[in-house]
Amino acid sequence: MSDAEKKHTGAKRAAADVDAGSKTASRSTATSAGPSKRARTASKDHTEDCRDADCQGCAGGEIALDSEIMALPAEKILALAEQEEAEGADRSVVTKLYEASVEKFAGQSTLAFSWALLRFAEFVDYEEYAADAVAVARKAKSADQGDAARALLINGRAQVLRVCLRQDNRCDQQEEDTDRLDAEVSGKKELEQGLADIVASLRDTPSDKNMSAVVETTLAFFSTRCQRHSLIHNLRLVLLDSALDIALKYVDWSAKEGTGSHVLACKIAIWWTMAMADSMLEDEVQSCAVEERLGPIVSYLESQSSDIPSCKLHAQLLIVLSSVLADEDKVVEAFDAAIRILQAAHQIAPEDQDIISQLEDLEAGS
């Protein structure tokens, strides 16, 4: 296999592997709602195509949450909605939970209500809820009912969401080819302000807050938006670039044990590298800059050689990195290192079908 073929095959395989594992990573971002409690519905009927073992009723019209769930306070219902979303529960159930929390919060000028509106907007891709979230956050801030950092975070995420949704709508109406590399991002100023607000919110988050949770949910937000295939290349690259900046600054890359933030950040690094590969010429200065930027993440993954998920991420990152390197010796070195990592992981977990498939695809099966 030639170096060029290795680049193409490796990057393509890594893309599929990271996309396939995205749901697993997102589950670590669930907000705790106390003891686990599945959202139950009033109906026991199911549609013919229902295959959800946990589904408590999806036929016969609108899903109704049972009285035990509805008796919870708004904050608990919101936390349950976020938990169910992170665990990949039925969309109609999650939607109903968010809807119930918003209804219970209605009329309040609190950041909790604003957060509920924002999370609902992000889940159902509804711009009007995002605007409402910003309006409520503004009232809450002026009434001194919450910290400025959280209000900034809500405002920033809402602005980024609106830019993404408007771009989606334009693409649907104009039937544009969203893969065009030269397509311009519309709403640049709003996007820049939104991203700046997110960064400022992290900078201003008080030290007594759970900073790691804030970082993890922020990375999860970027991860979810960037997985939308309708995003034009340049918008996805801007989002990934910002997310990678946040990950490099706020995730502890000297940690001995990984967290949900580490997993999300590694996936973001892989997607960013792939996006850069589509944008770059084979320029040695650019490729060295990419390699240097990923250095802390690569070093962290090297320290996690006994952790199978980290080994997979390490191999995938090296494979996509090989697609942006200009030095052919470095290309082969990165690609061969990825194979050695997968072979070592196979020795630890010989039954792992994902590792076996990757090795077979890379023509290096043991």
Side-chain angles (χ1 to χ4, degrees), residues 134-311:
V134 172
V136 173
R138 189 175 296 118
K139 291 179 182 178
K141 184 179 177 184
S142 65
D144 294 325
Q145 294 181 4
D147 61 76
R150 190 164 177 81
L152 269 176
L153 181 63
I154 291 169
N155 189 67
R157 282 173 60 158
Q159 288 191 78
V160 172
L161 178 64
R162 287 200 296 262
V163 171
C164 292
L165 295 182
R166 289 170 188 170
Q167 182 251 293
D168 281 349
N169 290 336
R170 275 192 299 276
C171 289
D172 290 341
Q173 293 164 7
Q174 300 173 12
E175 297 183 351
E176 293 179 357
D177 179 3
T178 57
D179 290 328
R180 285 193 302 120
L181 299 183
D182 60 345
E184 289 296 322
V185 177
S186 181
K188 273 188 177 181
K189 288 186 178 180
E190 184 176 7
L191 178 63
E192 290 172 358
Q193 185 59 56
L195 293 172
D197 283 351
I198 291 173
V199 171
S201 74
L202 294 172
R203 180 197 65 209
D204 297 342
T205 296
S207 58
D208 60 339
K209 298 288 184 182
N210 189 351
M211 186 63 178
S212 61
V214 175
V215 171
E216 187 169 339
T217 57
T218 301
L219 293 177
F221 163 73
F222 280 107
S223 174
T224 299
R225 297 329 306 177
C226 291
Q227 288 181 74
R228 302 299 173 95
H229 296 297
S230 58
L231 284 188
I232 59 173
H233 172 79
N234 285 335
L235 178 52
R236 177 178 281 108
L237 183 56
V238 170
L239 296 180
L240 288 169
D241 197 67
S242 296
L244 186 56
D245 272 345
I246 290 170
L248 289 170
K249 184 171 184 178
Y250 291 103
V251 176
D252 180 7
W253 296 108
S254 63
K256 293 184 178 180
E257 293 187 6
T259 64
S261 290
H262 288 89
V263 174
L264 287 164
C266 289
K267 289 177 180 292
I268 286 167
I270 292 169
W271 294 329
W272 175 79
T273 308
M274 293 174 64
M276 288 296 293
D278 289 336
S279 304
M280 293 169 49
L281 299 174
E282 293 200 357
D283 178 87
E284 187 169 353
V285 174
Q286 282 187 309
S287 66
C288 287
V290 170
E291 189 177 13
E292 182 178 357
R293 192 177 187 194
L294 296 174
I297 299 177
V298 172
S299 296
Y300 162 76
L301 289 171
E302 287 173 350
S303 73
Q304 302 294 308
S305 58
S306 61
D307 179 64
I308 295 303
S310 294
C311 288

Side-chain angles (χ1 to χ4, degrees), residues 105-117:
F105 275 122
Q108 298 182 24
S109 294
T110 63
L111 287 177
F113 181 26
S114 178
W115 183 254
L117 286 165

